Amino acid sequence: MAEKKILLLGSGFVAAPFVEYVLRRPENKLTIASRTLANAQALQKDYPAASAVQVDINDDKAIEDLVAQHDIAISLIPYIYHAKVIAAAVKHKKDVVTTSYVSPAMMEFDQAAKDAGITVMNEIGLDPGIDHLYAVRTIDEVHKEGGKLKEFISFCGGLPAPENSDNPFGYKFSWSARGVLLALKNTARYLEKGKVVEVSGPELMESVRKLNTGYPGYSFVGYGNRDSTPYDKRYNIPEAETIIRGSIRYDGFPQFAKALVTLGFLSEEEQAHLTASAPEISWKQVVAKTVGLENPSAEELKAAIIQKTGIQNSPDQAAILDGMRWLGFFSDDAKVHRRNSLLDTFCATLEEKMQYEEGERDMVFLQHRFEIELKDGTQQTRTSTLIEYGKPGGFSAMAKTVGVPCGIATQLILDGKITQKGVLAPMTPEINDPIIELVEKEGIGMVDRIL
């Protein structure tokens, strides 16, 4: 077997399962390139066929030289840098794989990639990735049988396993808390019963719906995730009257998040009392300032919070106040890590209190729900569901479900089984079927049911 040289840009959270997968093949040689050499070396140490190098993504020449020396470049760095990697790959006629959504900046290289004869495969992780594989497969089956897809509803989330969801959010951070919280400001757009619905960031937590997943052991809610409306074209379902893609959380998360948003905890504005040079301050004092009180008692503060958040008659009032007590909002002892703005100061506390502890496991839940009209006019509901748990001491569910599909796509390109050129996503049976076969061999496929 001829030696294959793989360049991995990024050594973060999802990289290890990718490395393990591609290095099962003895002909594959891997270079792990990271901004911090120690991080690349930490990932490389268990794999004799891998080497570690330091590289700055903003050093165009260094990136270009690295890409030129390899057969394929895998970009697991922030999506804003993928276009740089693709530009270098086009120049040197090398294939590329990313797990990110295709951005307009990436799509601009489509023709150049075709002209260079290279494959730029994207959206091949979990969400996006595994979700596309099974959505496209079911939709294709329905159309081939002469049926129509009336509704496509898909929700996905990475969460702590139920036994580890032991905080008021029912959530833990495996990466930046800031990114998770700022996503609560995103506008969601989707198609529902033939109408485009737009939910602005401030209303997002109010648009939450309880999810009927068919798994009563989980208490899930969901809300729209960015813009679902292009999926009529992406999934070839112009006949669909409802198309919703969203995020899953445990019930309780949106109610608590909404109260915090109302109090102003997503504000990125600098506040004098939260700067590094300001005197030490407790959470109780910060919250008092937020609701406009001077030195209130815990009871006065509670009353002001209830008033400001409008939870007077809410069945969630006790749970929300318990959550705030857990965060230290009523305590003179809970010191604040001052980070200039309320958002960043709050994130510092969340990251301290809501990390995965040794031996805890995460969970990924992804479900598609298809409402179908069969050729003879009868109605049918189908679901495709993925439930994956992390292994304490091993890979997390999130890392595995992103890193392994990425590894599979990489190997299929190296083996000449994915040959389409240009900037791609897994939207056709020719690309998807061989990936599904290998994903299922790894035990992370979706389970299909007709209800």
Side-chain angles (χ1 to χ4, degrees):
M1 271 281 188
E3 187 174 282
K4 300 285 188 190
K5 292 182 178 169
I6 303 168
L7 171 64
L8 171 60
L9 292 162
S11 55
F13 181 58
V14 301
F18 168 85
V19 172
E20 190 279 326
Y21 188 86
V22 296
L23 290 184
R24 292 179 196 175
R25 292 277 281 267
E27 73 274 17
N28 288 344
K29 299 293 175 257
L30 178 70
T31 305
I32 301 165
S34 178
R35 188 178 52 188
T36 311
L37 183 60
N39 292 353
Q41 288 168 333
L43 182 55
Q44 171 255 329
K45 70 179 185 328
D46 299 326
Y47 301 99
S51 57
V53 299
Q54 190 276 331
V55 71
D56 180 351
I57 187 60
N58 294 307
D59 183 341
D60 291 351
K61 183 174 186 320
I63 294 294
E64 209 175 284
D65 290 348
L66 271 176
V67 169
Q69 292 160 28
H70 294 80
D71 298 301
I72 190 166
I74 317 307
S75 188
L76 294 182
I77 52 183
Y79 77 95
I80 51 171
Y81 299 117
H82 294 328
K84 274 181 187 268
V85 179
I86 298 169
V90 164
K91 184 170 175 183
H92 295 285
K93 298 186 165 50
K94 307 294 182 178
D95 299 316
V96 177
V97 179
T98 85
T99 57
S100 302
Y101 285 106
V102 175
S103 67
M106 292 155 72
M107 199 63 206
E108 278 179 20
F109 287 96
D110 184 44
Q111 192 56 51
K114 286 173 179 160
D115 295 343
I118 66 167
T119 300
V120 181
M121 185 73 204
N122 308 284
E123 304 192 24
I124 190 58
L126 166 70
D127 172 14
I130 296 172
D131 55 339
H132 294 334
L133 301 176
Y134 287 84
V136 168
R137 184 171 79 174
T138 295
I139 289 162
D140 205 48
E141 275 172 17
V142 169
H143 286 164
K144 279 189 173 138
E145 291 161 8
K148 291 177 181 164
L149 198 86
K150 306 303 282 181
E151 292 190 5
F152 173 75
I153 298 174
S154 174
F155 283 93
C156 182
L159 297 163
E163 75 277 12
N164 299 136
S165 60
D166 52 354
N167 66 57
F169 284 99
Y171 194 83
K172 293 201 173 178
F173 297 104
S174 42
W175 54 77
S176 133
R178 193 177 209 274
V180 174
L181 290 182
L182 284 178
L184 303 178
K185 285 183 167 184
N186 289 337
T187 294
R189 290 181 89 229
Y190 48 86
L191 186 69
E192 190 159 34
K193 299 192 165 39
K195 289 198 171 75
V196 173
V197 178
E198 190 157 304
V199 182
S200 71
E203 273 77 60
L204 191 60
M205 290 297 99
E206 288 171 40
S207 69
V208 165
R209 55 188 77 199
K210 273 198 166 26
L211 297 184
N212 167 23
T213 61
Y215 293 83
Y218 302 109
S219 179
F220 288 140
V221 294
Y223 50 90
N225 183 13
R226 299 181 187 255
D227 191 357
S228 303
T229 57
Y231 282 83
D232 58 345
K233 291 192 176 60
R234 296 199 87 194
Y235 284 170
N236 185 30
I237 42 173
E239 73 273 23
E241 290 157 18
T242 296
I243 302 174
I244 300 173
R245 285 163 48 90
S247 299
I248 278 179
R249 294 288 182 264
Y250 286 122
D251 194 13
F253 177 99
Q255 298 91 314
F256 192 40
K258 181 176 176 260
L260 292 165
V261 170
T262 307
L263 289 174
F265 276 81
L266 295 195
S267 167
E268 296 174 78
E269 210 175 293
E270 184 172 306
Q271 302 200 11
H273 59 284
L274 298 177
T275 58
S277 55
E280 266 211 352
I281 190 169
S282 71
W283 264 121
K284 186 180 166 200
Q285 290 168 299
V286 170
V287 178
K289 280 181 185 292
T290 307
V291 296
L293 294 179
E294 281 290 326
N295 296 326
S297 68
E299 286 311 308
E300 287 168 334
L301 188 53
K302 219 174 278 182
I305 288 170
I306 291 168
Q307 187 63 39
K308 186 153 183 185
T309 54
I311 56 172
Q312 291 89 332
N313 305 311
S314 167
D316 303 302
Q317 180 184 306
I320 290 168
L321 293 174
D322 284 350
M324 290 181 178
R325 184 180 304 112
W326 179 84
L327 285 167
F329 281 10
F330 306 120
S331 162
D332 287 311
D333 302 323
K335 291 295 178 238
V336 166
H337 307 293
R338 300 182 305 286
R339 299 281 189 275
N340 296 319
S341 70
L342 207 42
L343 171 69
D344 289 317
T345 300
F346 186 46
C347 285
T349 289
L350 294 186
E351 284 171 3
E352 183 179 72
K353 293 179 78 85
M354 288 167 59
Q355 293 291 337
Y356 283 95
E357 302 292 335
E358 194 70 40
E360 291 188 339
R361 56 186 193 151
D362 71 327
M363 174 181 87
V364 163
F365 190 100
L366 164 63
Q367 187 175 73
H368 299 324
R369 190 179 179 93
F370 308 91
E371 297 296 343
I372 296 159
E373 188 181 294
L374 299 175
K375 192 178 180 179
D376 64 5
T378 55
Q379 307 296 310
Q380 185 186 71
T381 302
R382 294 193 203 178
T383 59
S384 294
T385 310
L386 168 72
I387 305 171
E388 179 76 28
Y389 285 94
K391 289 195 171 53
F395 296 141
S396 70
M398 182 62 79
K400 182 180 172 185
T401 52
V402 176
V404 171
C406 180
I408 287 169
T410 300
Q411 194 61 62
L412 286 168
I413 292 168
L414 289 171
D415 291 346
K417 305 254 175 72
I418 291 179
T419 56
Q420 292 84 342
K421 307 304 177 196
V423 176
L424 308 171
M427 294 291 165
T428 61
E430 299 78 54
I431 290 173
N432 296 10
D433 290 350
I435 300 178
I436 288 175
E437 190 183 326
L438 293 173
V439 161
E440 291 185 349
K441 268 193 184 157
E442 299 300 312
I444 48 176
M446 295 181 80
V447 176
D448 295 331
R449 286 166 71 190
I450 296 175
L451 301 186

